[in-house]
Amino acid sequence: MDIDCLDFNQFACSLQKARDYAVKYKYKCCCSDCDKEAIKSHLLQQHPILESIADANHKVLQFEDNWENARSGRWDLYSKQRRGIGDALQYRLFCKKHDSDLFKGLERNNSIPSSKRDCLLLAYRAACSVRHQEERRMRCYEYKMQCNPNEINDAWLSNSKVFVRRMDAVIENLQSALDGEDESYLFRIISMPYIPVAASDCIVDEKDYQAHIMDDEYSKPLNCYFVNLIPNNDRLLLLLGCDTRYDKNGEYESIISEFPANCDLPYQHFVETLWGILLKCHNWCCSPTLAEDPLWKKFFENYEALNASIRPEEAEI
């Protein structure tokens, strides 16, 4: 793509059409044995989880991967916006039947995990959401390649395909675990002081992804760990998990095992620890009033740049 010959008005118009195409695309259910169309559903329940952290107008602040602009040369790769709880943390992941059948038991317990299977289900849904967001980006690239092949670097599309393929392998392993076919997953639930945030995410090891980004045949599951933050009355539950088979040097297992569990530690300690987690998250939201908390003020003022000011041991979380 020759930037000097680019018509930016035409580029912006075609980009918007590509975004619209990606949004309206009929995504399939993430279950491997299903080809039905996916419906919109929440990563964490609207009631009571999102409702419990919303303001008086039933709004939350949502932070998410700015998927349309990623790898487009812009730096604002994350977006922050107010959303009604009916729209927050909502993606097209499963068909109506699988969305109901898979998660009905978990949702009866307000998404509070009470078993290894519950932990796997939360990890499964989080992994599917990350895969879905990359597929949206991939569909956007595909549309632009078809309509205006000179406006986009085909390596972007190739890289997206590698990511989706490797996330498919992550999801396939989680499905096998849900069927009781392996015991390789480690989970830990930590009860923390209450902070009005909610998250459900799969954090990918960027080094592992970049190491094989040019290999169109590589399909080994991405090394990743799972994060869920679930408000529960006067506590915030943090669920961490990983697949130990792909955890290089036991890094994520160490994070999970060594995370402090003493709820009586100072509130500021947990605020700073959560910063390290949320800076890596793509799917999380919080109460709009949290920005009024002095300890969170600089986090909201400079969301991305804060990464540089986190101490090394916190940034690793």
Side-chain angles (χ1 to χ4, degrees), residues 119-292:
C119 295
L120 284 167
L121 283 169
L122 287 165
Y124 180 53
R125 189 155 55 185
C128 288
S129 74
V130 171
R131 187 239 184 246
H132 170 73
Q133 289 174 76
E134 188 66 34
E135 186 183 1
R136 288 195 303 185
R137 187 179 293 122
M138 186 179 78
R139 299 303 175 191
C140 186
Y141 293 157
E142 285 179 341
Y143 182 90
K144 285 192 65 62
M145 287 289 291
Q146 292 171 8
C147 299
N148 299 284
N150 296 324
E151 287 185 2
I152 188 168
N153 187 334
D154 58 3
W156 296 346
L157 177 58
S158 177
N159 294 349
S160 273
K161 288 180 177 179
V162 170
F163 188 96
V164 168
R165 181 170 62 251
R166 297 189 66 190
M167 280 306 301
D168 281 338
V170 171
I171 292 166
E172 183 178 338
N173 281 347
L174 284 163
Q175 285 182 314
S176 295
L178 283 166
D179 292 335
E181 295 179 12
D182 71 67
E183 295 292 332
S184 62
Y185 290 88
L186 171 68
F187 290 100
R188 184 172 171 223
I189 302 173
I190 301 109
S191 179
M192 303 173 65
Y194 179 77
I195 300 173
V197 300
S200 183
D201 212 343
C202 170
I203 313 256
V204 170
D205 182 347
E206 188 67 18
K207 291 180 181 177
D208 179 36
Y209 168 56
Q210 293 292 340
H212 304 281
I213 198 171
M214 303 305 293
D215 189 342
D216 291 338
E217 303 298 325
Y218 197 80
S219 58
K220 185 177 179 180
L222 280 161
N223 184 26
C224 55
Y225 69 104
F226 311 105
V227 175
N228 279 271
L229 285 162
I230 305 169
N232 182 32
N233 298 321
D234 62 345
R235 290 297 185 191
L236 180 67
L237 297 183
L238 169 62
L239 171 63
L240 296 173
C242 72
D243 185 341
T244 57
R245 290 172 294 182
Y246 307 102
D247 184 17
K248 295 179 180 178
N249 304 315
E251 177 185 0
Y252 291 158
E253 184 174 353
S254 177
I255 289 172
I256 294 167
S257 301
E258 296 176 10
F259 195 95
N262 184 356
C263 291
D264 296 325
L265 286 171
Y267 175 71
Q268 182 171 353
H269 169 86
F270 283 99
V271 169
E272 292 174 351
T273 302
L274 276 178
W275 283 349
I277 292 173
L278 295 176
L279 279 168
K280 294 178 180 293
C281 280
H282 298 255
N283 298 316
W284 70 280
C285 59
C286 69
S287 168
T289 61
L290 191 62
E292 300 169 9

